[in-house]
Amino acid sequence: MAETTRVVTTERPQTVPGRPARLTPLMGPALVAAIAYVDPGNVATNLTAGATSGYRLVWVVVAASLVAILVQYQAAKLGVATGRSLPELCRDRFPRWGRRVLWLQAELVVLATDLAEFVGAAIGLRLLFGMPVALSALVTAGVSLLLLALRRRGRTRRFESATAAALLLIGAGMAYDLVTVGHQSGSGFAGGLVPHLGGSDQIVLAMGIVGATVMPHAVYLHSALAKPGARAGARPRDVRRALRYDCGIALSAAATVNVSMIALGAGLGALTGGAWTGDLLDAHSVLAERVGGAAALAFAVALLSSGLASSGVGTLAGDVVMGGFLGRRIPVYLRRIVTMLPAVVLLTIGTSLTTLLVASQVVISFGVPVALFLLIHFCRDRALMGQLVNARVTTAVAAVAAAVVAGVGCALPFLLLA
């Protein structure tokens, strides 16, 4: 296997004083990763949390989002420092049997992620156009391949702009419904920022929120999207600052959308006197009957945008995982068809949408600790990271956060299947 040689220049490019133009190329990849944080799994979990527990779990979304910022920041830093994605580094550093095992679990995570995102898109297409599930699966597959083509042709900025537009559309739809539904409580929201848990149902929901927030495929993908060439001539502290801004802005936007979902769920629960408990199909009906057609349309468009955009991101993540761990050159569209085929088949044969969502979250949860601890392992290696190596405090905080998220992720399947 040929080794990749990176040429690092110490010459600093000429820039206009006071203008951070040399760092702008580092910005953007976090917007792509942020879509994974507002996928249909997040929509379902957050709306259910709001409908059944009001604002009590807002603090969980905030805490999980802070962990997500730290995780994605490290993923971006790894890519910028090494010029290699996390799967590529695993291929370089681990024996053949080890990287094959890692590839297998990562591939299962991508397949499960595709499953959840295809379900969300299928529901959105059904709500908007009355489209059968089987046809909606094929449409989603086609859109995913188109988004992949946009990225593969080198149109990186256009791909990032498309995902940013999807994030804006999802947020706008949720915000519109939040305003039109009403039934909000400022004091209740403020109380939800204080950490506390009630009964076992709230514990399961809190774990579901955490499990749906930190996604392994977003870690793999972000490390591949980072642009090592953009740091040429920039001071390490400036690179760190640019990556923090990128991750902070993009994931804070995603966190805001997730919080608005909980608030919307609380509003819909209050509007129906507790009769609605989080079902996505019923949410559309409730909005149409109680609020109006525009609100129902906004919800359907937001859900469809969530499913299609996150499916496109999952498409790219699958490309990164297979190419990185195995290092094999096969036609990109054939590779993508293979990874999304199970989701299309299961939807086509009429498998229960709820069953698919639960099953997908069970599989994804087991991939969380692997991705997080691999990330920490590499980011603490000074020989690999150079001046962008993690500080000891950063490594310690990341390790604690990863341990908590991993524990939640591993316990969630047993609670879901109990």
Side-chain angles (χ1 to χ4, degrees):
M1 179 179 65
E3 295 184 354
T4 301
T5 302
R6 293 177 57 237
V7 178
V8 180
T9 177
T10 57
E11 181 181 356
R12 300 187 63 179
Q14 296 297 318
T15 58
V16 178
R19 292 181 61 187
R22 66 179 182 275
L23 296 177
T24 54
L26 290 168
M27 311 288 283
L31 285 170
V32 179
I35 289 295
Y37 293 85
V38 290
D39 71 1
N42 292 88
V43 177
T45 305
N46 290 325
L47 286 177
T48 301
T52 59
S53 301
Y55 306 96
R56 294 184 183 90
L57 298 180
V58 169
W59 70 272
V60 179
V61 173
V62 174
S65 298
L66 290 175
V67 173
I69 291 174
L70 175 61
V71 169
Q72 297 303 146
Y73 166 66
Q74 290 190 96
K77 193 170 60 169
L78 181 69
V80 170
T82 66
R84 310 281 282 171
S85 68
L86 182 56
E88 288 173 328
L89 287 170
C90 291
R91 188 182 78 222
D92 293 343
R93 297 297 185 95
F94 297 136
R96 176 177 295 181
W97 68 267
R99 59 178 180 260
R100 288 186 181 276
V101 170
L102 289 173
W103 166 74
L104 181 60
Q105 64 82 33
E107 202 66 66
L108 289 174
V109 165
V110 171
L111 292 174
T113 302
D114 277 342
L115 200 57
E117 292 159 353
F118 270 61
V119 167
I123 294 175
L125 287 169
R126 178 190 291 184
L127 295 178
L128 281 174
F129 307 111
M131 190 177 293
V133 172
L135 180 57
S136 68
L138 296 177
V139 171
T140 304
V143 173
S144 298
L145 291 175
L146 288 175
L147 287 172
L148 180 59
L150 189 65
R151 166 64 181 168
R152 294 290 295 184
R153 291 176 181 175
R155 299 173 181 176
T156 303
R157 284 302 185 189
R158 292 186 182 183
F159 182 80
E160 292 170 356
S161 298
T163 54
L167 182 60
L168 180 62
L169 194 59
I170 298 166
M174 293 297 169
Y176 178 80
D177 283 348
L178 185 62
V179 172
T180 55
V181 168
H183 291 77
Q184 298 297 315
S185 169
S187 59
F189 183 85
L193 294 172
V194 179
H196 65 285
L197 288 172
S200 59
D201 290 344
Q202 286 189 26
I203 294 175
V204 172
L205 278 172
M207 295 175 71
I209 291 172
V210 175
T213 300
V214 182
M215 304 291 283
H217 75 294
V219 175
Y220 297 128
L221 178 59
H222 201 168
S223 66
L225 293 178
K227 306 175 181 68
R231 64 172 292 202
R235 293 173 298 182
R237 68 179 184 182
D238 291 334
V239 173
R240 293 174 188 270
R241 184 171 66 250
L243 295 179
R244 283 196 293 266
Y245 284 158
D246 191 33
C247 295
I249 293 171
L251 296 176
S252 292
T256 302
V257 174
N258 282 320
V259 169
S260 72
M261 291 176 190
I262 287 188
L264 175 60
L268 284 173
L271 179 67
T272 60
W276 179 78
T277 57
D279 183 87
L280 296 182
L281 290 173
D282 288 345
H284 183 265
S285 301
V286 170
L287 287 168
E289 295 171 3
R290 300 290 189 95
V291 184
L297 177 63
F299 178 79
V301 170
L303 183 59
L304 179 59
S305 299
S306 171
L308 291 178
S310 58
S311 179
V313 170
T315 296
L316 188 54
D319 185 34
V320 168
V321 164
M322 186 174 286
F325 280 112
L326 299 185
R328 293 183 177 177
R329 298 286 184 178
I330 63 175
V332 63
Y333 294 110
L334 175 61
R335 178 163 60 231
R336 190 51 200 147
I337 289 172
V338 169
T339 56
M340 68 184 178
L341 187 61
V344 175
V345 170
L346 288 172
L347 286 173
T348 302
I349 64 177
T351 308
S352 166
L353 298 182
T354 300
T355 300
L356 290 180
L357 279 174
V358 172
S360 68
Q361 295 306 307
V362 170
V363 175
I364 291 170
S365 64
F366 286 119
V368 172
V370 178
L372 296 189
F373 287 112
L374 283 173
L375 185 63
I376 294 171
H377 169 71
F378 287 123
C379 285
R380 65 188 291 271
D381 186 344
R382 181 172 295 276
L384 179 69
M385 297 291 292
Q387 291 180 303
L388 294 180
V389 66
N390 272 358
R392 289 185 179 180
V393 173
T394 303
T395 297
V397 172
V400 171
V404 172
V405 173
V408 168
C410 290
L412 182 59
F414 300 102
L415 292 174
L416 290 174
L417 297 176

